[in-house]
Amino acid sequence: MAATETIEIIALDDDWNLLGRIDGKGDWPGIVRALLRMDSAWLIIEQQRMDGPFPIPRREDIRLSRRVAHRLRPMEMKVADHVILSGKGRFSFRQAGLL
């Protein structure tokens, strides 16, 4: 993740209602503890890019989605979407068929 990016994990319940937001720059065990405390069933990875108008996913973004989904599977949590925001654009991995 570039220095011109922020990342948040949005925790959702079974009905995709918002439970809370977690700073994605934290350590993985801390993020997982927060998700478990919220009893999150689903999550959205949200990246905000400040370096351009087009939210095009990079290879490392795709790897991030896959790694997070793989690590959450044993805890019965799933990735609802991975969204990249940049300029006035928005890219959804779910809408693009990448999830």
Side-chain angles (χ1 to χ4, degrees):
M1 185 172 59
T4 58
E5 292 182 7
T6 62
I7 188 165
E8 284 192 321
I9 306 298
I10 301 169
L12 306 171
D13 66 11
D14 281 323
D15 297 319
W16 290 21
N17 296 308
L18 176 68
L19 296 172
R21 295 173 88 82
I22 303 162
D23 183 356
K25 290 185 181 179
D27 63 302
W28 180 248
I31 291 170
V32 170
R33 277 193 302 276
L35 289 168
L36 291 172
R37 245 189 332 271
M38 288 185 229
D39 198 25
S40 179
W42 293 87
L43 64 88
I44 297 171
I45 302 166
E46 183 181 87
Q47 287 178 269
Q48 175 75 46
R49 293 205 179 122
M50 284 44 139
D51 61 353
F54 304 110
I56 297 172
R58 301 173 184 139
R59 196 172 294 155
E60 61 265 19
D61 300 328
I62 296 167
R63 279 196 304 263
L64 173 66
S65 287
R66 290 179 179 164
R67 277 196 324 253
V68 169
H70 178 75
R71 288 181 177 186
L72 291 174
R73 198 171 299 134
M75 292 177 279
E76 298 179 356
M77 288 184 227
K78 296 179 181 132
V79 177
D81 204 348
H82 179 164
V83 177
I84 301 172
L85 307 169
S86 183
K88 294 184 182 199
R90 177 183 184 279
F91 182 89
S92 165
F93 279 58
R94 178 161 296 283
Q95 287 178 340
L98 295 173
L99 288 178

